[in-house]
Amino acid sequence: MLSDLLPPALVALLLDSIGQTATMVAVAAVLSTLVGLPLGVLLVVTAPGQFLERPALTRVMGTVVNLIRSTPFIILMVAIIPLTRLVAGTTVGTAAAIVPLTIAITPLYARLAEAAMREVDHSLIEAAQAMGATPLQIICKVLLPEALPGILAGQTVTLVSLVGYSAMAGTVGGGGLGDLGIRFGYQRFMPEVMIAVVIVLVVIVQSIQMAGDWAARSVNHRIARGRERA
Amino acid sequence: MTRLARSPTVLEAAPEGKAAPSATRDGVTERRPVVRVEDLTMVYDQKAGPVLDKVSLSVREGDIHGIIGRSGAGKSTLVRCLNQLVVPTSGRIEVSGHDIARLSGGELRRARRDIGMIFQHFSLMSSRTAADNVALPLEIAGVAKEEIRNRIPVLLDLVGLSAKADAYPVELSGGQKQRVGIARALALDPKVLLSDEATSALDPETTEQILDLLKDINRRLGLTIVLITHEMDVVRAIASHVTVLEHGKVVESGPTFDVFAFPKSPVARSFLSSIVAHDLPPQIAARLRPQSSLDTDPVLRIVFTGEAAHEPVIADLVDRFGVRASILHGRIDYIDERPLGVLSLLLPGAADRVPAVLAHLSFLGLHGEVIGHAVRSSAAGARRAAS
């Protein structure tokens, strides 16, 4: 069906682009989670009135996060080219695009995780302290499990944003679906390519959202559910 | 039911307790205090003044000690000082042999395992089932998984919730949630249980069940309980001792029976009068005035304790003073298993003989007091008509 509308060469290109987008999104998502989740935890537990209160540290982290978040992605990508070269060894290609993607998305993920953990009732932390829990135990056994539905919802938002950001990765030769759409659909006046790209992106985003909602729902025990239906 | 077996890890973690019961001067062995608070002062904000002002109290092993006060009296802060969730400005706190106020880090965490706590809003983890909530303190203490699996059914059984082991908190009623909270607080076999308004969020019937459970645990395990509340009924139901807190100060402290029978402080009186006024027939309670006047009759409250309960008091008053007494209300409470009789009498037209009546009651060893002056119903009616 696809080959009826698009020549085989373009189908191959489309499949390549899907692969590139998937690689960029997946690697950046894993890296941003590895960095963003601890950052989010630190933003919560070092805040004033919390059990590892370090107001100066919270302020520094908050400022850095806000700085990155207020820089447009396209500018950030160009601005950190020296860093990209240092980390990826090159400034063009999919691998090079992953560096700015990760740096741009980590603060967003950290903020979303922070917001989810702030929602955890302070009395639960108090209860854990009363049981003799260490700060690490409070984080691992109370804060993270209780905030998990919210953290997963944040993860979903992050992934969808990553798909959007990855479209701009063409600027540094990262390839991907956005790049394909611009180069063939726009610059070569091939509307069928543009439409195919948009359809694929819609399907990807929709799938991420549905999977994310399902995951968040399945770990959320704050809402009563009929056991027989579950 | 025997005392729950301690796990080896917890035993290792527990510092050496104080020496066993100490002999008092007259050679009688007395239960040692497990909670001792001396000159505890807490200042959050210099301008607002101290939240706790040189509070001292002592709770003996096996007691249920109620701390009652209005909101803002400092009772929440006081109970949180006992496990250092709040670090006081100054003062000494000793709980089950731990010099709590001087501990920090790992020592404080180990000491906290000897102190269970239950909360007003239960503070259960929504992501864990009832069984897993009870397991949490055991996991935190590093108890082996197999040991935890063995302990959970025992703990859930203790609070009568075996059938709900796999239910999440959202599927439990308030009373069931608090039962999970109690099982969780008992998991590490604490020496002291702190209860922070544990029944305030529950309806009266559930409150009674939870209080019965606490009393039962107190008896079966010999567990010392410190409970804070703003309800005198809670104290009446289970506390053996009570401390009345007002503006961060202890205004009265002693056995619950004595405080109920003979309250000394105005605060304790007002807490009690809320119960007493509640006991009077509504039409009398509505006509009660603090001051006597020409159109009022005195309302007398007589407290019977022990032997004097056998005296034919009313007949005696009629014979000696020629007063007619109508009984407004009478009840016998069992406070800490001792009967406390309270009789409220209306003495129509006998305002002049009240001092003599009170003197006679005191001679009989009874406690009598005028709790108010009821406006005569006809006069009240006439006044209403006039206004």
Side-chain angles (χ1 to χ4, degrees):
Chain A
M1 191 187 90
L2 200 57
S3 53
D4 296 342
L5 293 167
L6 298 170
L10 276 180
V11 173
L13 264 179
L14 190 61
L15 290 178
D16 272 355
S17 299
I18 292 175
Q20 287 160 349
T21 295
T23 308
M24 285 189 283
V25 170
V27 176
V30 169
L31 293 177
S32 65
T33 303
L34 290 178
V35 180
L37 193 56
L39 184 59
V41 168
L42 280 178
L43 282 169
V44 173
V45 301
T46 63
Q50 280 295 350
F51 55 96
L52 289 176
E53 188 174 332
R54 301 280 188 287
L57 181 62
T58 316
R59 264 200 303 280
V60 170
M61 287 188 301
T63 308
V64 171
V65 162
N66 292 346
L67 271 178
I68 298 175
R69 289 201 60 200
S70 48
T71 310
F73 179 59
I74 197 101
I75 293 170
L76 182 83
M77 205 159 40
V78 181
I80 63 160
I81 281 178
L83 178 71
T84 305
R85 182 179 291 124
L86 197 71
V87 177
T90 172
T91 58
V92 290
T94 306
I98 288 172
V99 178
L101 274 178
T102 305
I103 289 173
I105 214 72
T106 300
L108 169 68
Y109 181 65
R111 281 294 188 208
L112 291 171
E114 179 199 2
M117 283 181 275
R118 274 198 205 289
E119 288 297 303
V120 175
D121 195 338
H122 189 75
S123 78
L124 286 182
I125 293 166
E126 203 175 42
Q129 285 177 314
M131 290 171 205
T134 61
L136 190 64
Q137 283 174 324
I138 297 174
I139 291 166
C140 296
K141 288 191 177 291
V142 178
L143 214 46
L144 290 174
E146 283 293 297
L148 193 56
I151 291 174
L152 286 177
Q155 188 84 64
T156 310
V157 172
T158 308
L159 279 171
V160 171
S161 302
L162 263 177
V163 172
Y165 280 11
S166 74
M168 283 179 260
T171 316
V172 293
L177 285 163
D179 190 37
L180 181 73
I182 289 291
R183 282 194 293 126
F184 286 78
Y186 177 67
Q187 287 164 352
R188 299 189 191 180
F189 301 105
M190 294 170 79
E192 68 278 17
V193 176
M194 188 66 95
I195 289 167
V197 162
V198 170
I199 290 172
V200 171
L201 282 174
V202 167
V203 170
I204 291 176
V205 168
Q206 192 66 37
S207 310
I208 292 173
Q209 190 66 50
M210 279 164 64
D213 287 348
W214 173 83
R217 216 172 30 243
S218 65
V219 297
N220 187 353
H221 297 289
R222 275 172 281 189
I223 304 154
R225 269 172 303 194
R227 308 210 124 228
E228 61 279 3
R229 272 182 288 131
Chain B
M1 168 90 216
T2 52
R3 201 169 162 82
L4 291 166
R6 298 188 126 256
S7 68
T9 35
V10 178
L11 198 60
E12 279 159 25
E16 288 193 9
K18 277 194 59 180
S22 55
T24 51
R25 255 164 289 154
D26 33 325
V28 182
T29 51
E30 199 176 55
R31 286 172 299 159
R32 68 192 169 96
V34 277
V35 176
R36 213 160 50 199
V37 174
E38 277 166 31
D39 290 332
L40 181 63
T41 299
M42 177 73 210
V43 184
Y44 283 112
D45 177 4
Q46 284 293 348
K47 275 172 277 174
V51 175
L52 292 175
D53 191 0
K54 294 202 167 132
V55 169
S56 296
L57 64 92
S58 156
V59 180
R60 286 175 313 163
E61 196 165 21
D63 279 353
I64 299 182
H65 195 107
I67 296 170
I68 189 166
R70 296 196 180 87
S71 57
K75 50 194 195 304
S76 254
T77 304
L78 174 56
V79 80
R80 275 168 178 70
C81 284
L82 297 183
N83 58 2
Q84 289 287 288
L85 288 178
V86 170
V87 180
T89 311
S90 66
R92 254 182 69 87
I93 303 166
E94 197 185 289
V95 181
S96 135
H98 303 288
D99 191 355
I100 288 285
R102 269 164 231 255
L103 298 182
S104 62
E107 284 180 320
L108 174 61
R109 286 195 285 273
R110 278 191 292 279
R112 278 173 172 166
R113 291 172 191 166
D114 279 347
I115 309 166
M117 188 166 188
I118 53 177
F119 301 84
Q120 178 173 6
H121 298 292
F122 324 122
S123 299
L124 299 181
M125 283 184 59
S126 67
S127 57
R128 284 173 174 247
T129 61
D132 289 344
N133 264 291
V134 177
L136 183 61
L138 297 161
E139 288 172 21
I140 283 171
V143 176
K145 279 207 165 58
E146 202 179 333
E147 170 88 19
I148 295 178
R149 261 202 304 280
N150 295 336
R151 294 273 295 273
I152 288 170
V154 180
L155 288 159
L156 285 175
D157 183 53
L158 186 69
V159 297
L161 215 58
S162 300
K164 293 284 182 185
D166 295 325
Y168 284 95
V170 72
E171 299 163 316
L172 300 174
S173 70
Q176 289 170 332
K177 282 185 208 167
Q178 195 57 286
R179 283 171 193 270
V180 176
I182 293 170
R184 180 178 72 177
L186 297 176
L188 290 175
D189 194 17
K191 306 290 193 306
V192 180
L193 178 68
L194 307 178
S195 163
D196 178 14
E197 297 270 11
T199 57
S200 299
L202 302 174
D203 61 66
E205 199 181 324
T206 316
T207 294
E208 204 180 308
Q209 289 166 2
I210 293 294
L211 292 178
D212 284 347
L213 175 64
L214 287 177
K215 194 160 192 172
D216 184 49
I217 286 165
N218 164 260
R219 283 207 193 111
R220 279 153 74 178
L221 308 181
L223 181 68
T224 310
I225 301 177
V226 177
L227 61 89
I228 65 166
T229 181
H230 63 275
E231 290 166 304
M232 208 61 177
D233 271 333
V234 170
V235 171
R236 169 161 72 175
I238 68 169
S240 56
H241 290 74
V242 62
T243 293
V244 183
L245 217 54
E246 168 90 333
H247 302 311
K249 287 192 168 115
V250 172
V251 290
E252 191 158 353
S253 190
T256 309
F257 187 87
D258 295 352
V259 174
F260 264 80
F262 315 111
K264 292 181 200 77
S265 63
V267 194
R269 274 166 193 276
S270 82
F271 269 118
L272 284 169
S273 71
S274 65
I275 294 180
V276 174
H278 187 72
D279 287 343
L280 290 177
Q283 60 272 40
I284 299 285
R287 298 196 331 246
L288 214 56
R289 303 283 178 270
Q291 301 298 328
S292 71
S293 60
L294 286 174
D295 63 349
T296 60
D297 293 322
V299 175
L300 202 61
R301 177 172 173 266
I302 305 175
V303 179
F304 299 81
T305 55
E307 294 305 307
H310 302 299
E311 298 282 343
V313 180
I314 297 181
D316 217 26
L317 293 183
V318 174
D319 278 356
R320 281 173 187 267
F321 305 103
V323 294
R324 291 174 299 131
S326 67
I327 299 174
L328 298 177
H329 173 264
R331 72 179 288 162
I332 296 176
D333 274 325
Y334 284 83
I335 293 171
D336 202 19
E337 284 154 30
R338 287 165 66 192
L340 173 67
V342 177
L343 189 63
S344 299
L345 299 175
L346 179 71
L347 305 178
D352 53 330
R353 277 154 286 172
V354 165
V357 168
L358 289 180
H360 181 65
L361 289 172
S362 147
F363 169 74
L364 291 177
L366 294 171
H367 175 78
E369 64 176 311
V370 177
I371 56 169
H373 304 270
V375 177
R376 272 175 223 123
S377 52
S378 55
R383 240 197 347 211
R384 259 201 304 276
S387 64

